[in-house]
Amino acid sequence: DLFYRVDTDLVLPQVPPDSWTLLIDGMVARPVQITFGELLRMPLTETDITLVCVSNQVGGPYAGNARWLGVPLAGLLRRAGIRANADQVLSTGADGITISTPLATILDGRDALIAVGMNGQPLPVAHGFPARMVVPGLYGYVSATKWVTRLTVTTFAGQRAYWTQRGYAARAPVKTESRIDVPRPLARISAGPVTVAGVAWAPARGVAAVEVSADGGPWHAARLAAADGIDTWRQWVWTWDADPGLHQLRVRA
């Protein structure tokens, strides 16, 4: 219930799983239609992936990490037979949203999924039940179609998605980002040793180092938690010796 939600819907789509289907069409050798029951009988993959919204501000809340369960997306597309010159998967949700995803990104070996579970439970309705797309390393508006019902293999030149029609970039890899979670902005703390901590992420690449600076001073290496794969955020911590007064902290990854 703490995972962020960003979509265009005032009323959440209610999609009965017994009538849900996923159609794969477009530039394919043979269109494929899959029922929810058929999807659940396929080999499932479970992996931890951090998702980020492109509208997330520095230090903002629109980033979340979850353990996703689903069917590998690349295998579903190959089952339909991808035709030459295709470079985009135009996905459609039950709410009518369309999202464009670079085909090469889906096929490059990363854990792109049609997800049916989240953190050991079925997908919540707010996060796309009965099924959604999850593609690590891309901002949500080009990868994270909720209530997904159709995957059209096509080209960027031939079809444009909802957000690209409105001037957004068609390809949008997540930038390397970091966030200070404690202390909170404008917090009052005691002088002396202070724990500064947060998370950093670079999905599909991984985080190798995090550095923190106080009041525009030198950058100091933070201590990193163990990496939980390259697709997830990584915790970091640094101990700061704080003097009395007003201070500004910065972090970079």
Side-chain angles (χ1 to χ4, degrees), residues 45 69 78 147 197 212:
T45 296
L69 177 72
R78 290 188 174 108
W147 315 289
V212 190

Side-chain angles (χ1 to χ4, degrees), residues 180-190 194 240 245-247 249:
I180 298 171
D181 290 315
V182 293
R184 301 300 297 167
L186 304 181
R188 288 182 174 271
I189 57 176
S190 299
V194 174
W240 169 45
L246 185 65
H247 299 279
L249 298 174

Side-chain angles (χ1 to χ4, degrees), residues 47-118:
T47 186
D48 298 342
I49 299 172
T50 295
L51 298 187
V52 188
C53 180
V54 72
S55 62
N56 192 45
Q57 297 180 349
V58 173
Y62 297 140
N65 190 70
R67 180 159 293 172
W68 304 94
L69 177 72
V71 176
L73 178 53
L76 292 176
L77 296 176
R78 290 188 174 108
R79 177 178 175 181
I82 302 166
R83 294 195 182 277
N85 300 321
D87 62 7
Q88 177 192 198
V89 174
L90 187 75
S91 53
T92 305
D95 58 347
I97 193 73
T98 54
I99 282 179
S100 61
T101 307
L103 178 61
T105 302
I106 296 173
L107 301 179
D108 70 2
R110 69 187 70 195
D111 286 324
L113 300 174
I114 295 296
V116 296
M118 181 180 183

Side-chain angles (χ1 to χ4, degrees), residues 25-181:
D25 65 356
M27 296 173 65
V28 296
R30 49 200 169 275
V32 173
Q33 193 158 33
I34 302 165
T35 68
F36 191 61
E38 290 170 337
L39 191 70
L40 293 183
R41 288 191 291 272
M42 294 179 183
L44 299 175
T45 296
E46 191 170 45
T47 186
D48 298 342
I49 299 172
T50 295
L51 298 187
V52 188
C53 180
V54 72
S55 62
N56 192 45
Q57 297 180 349
V58 173
Y62 297 140
N65 190 70
R67 180 159 293 172
W68 304 94
L69 177 72
V71 176
L73 178 53
L76 292 176
L77 296 176
R78 290 188 174 108
R79 177 178 175 181
I82 302 166
R83 294 195 182 277
N85 300 321
D87 62 7
Q88 177 192 198
V89 174
L90 187 75
S91 53
T92 305
D95 58 347
I97 193 73
T98 54
I99 282 179
S100 61
T101 307
L103 178 61
T105 302
I106 296 173
L107 301 179
D108 70 2
R110 69 187 70 195
D111 286 324
L113 300 174
I114 295 296
V116 296
M118 181 180 183
N119 293 330
Q121 301 291 329
L123 279 177
V125 171
H127 294 295
F129 180 83
R132 67 170 294 164
M133 277 179 61
V134 177
V135 183
L138 299 178
Y139 285 115
Y141 85 93
V142 293
S143 69
T145 316
K146 295 188 282 191
W147 315 289
V148 64
T149 58
R150 186 176 183 180
L151 304 174
T152 301
V153 180
T154 181
T155 64
F156 283 106
Q159 291 181 269
R160 298 202 305 165
Y162 178 90
W163 290 112
T164 48
Q165 292 174 25
R166 287 156 176 80
Y168 282 59
R171 298 169 173 84
V174 174
K175 298 179 183 295
T176 300
E177 300 178 60
S178 50
R179 184 179 79 192
I180 298 171
D181 290 315

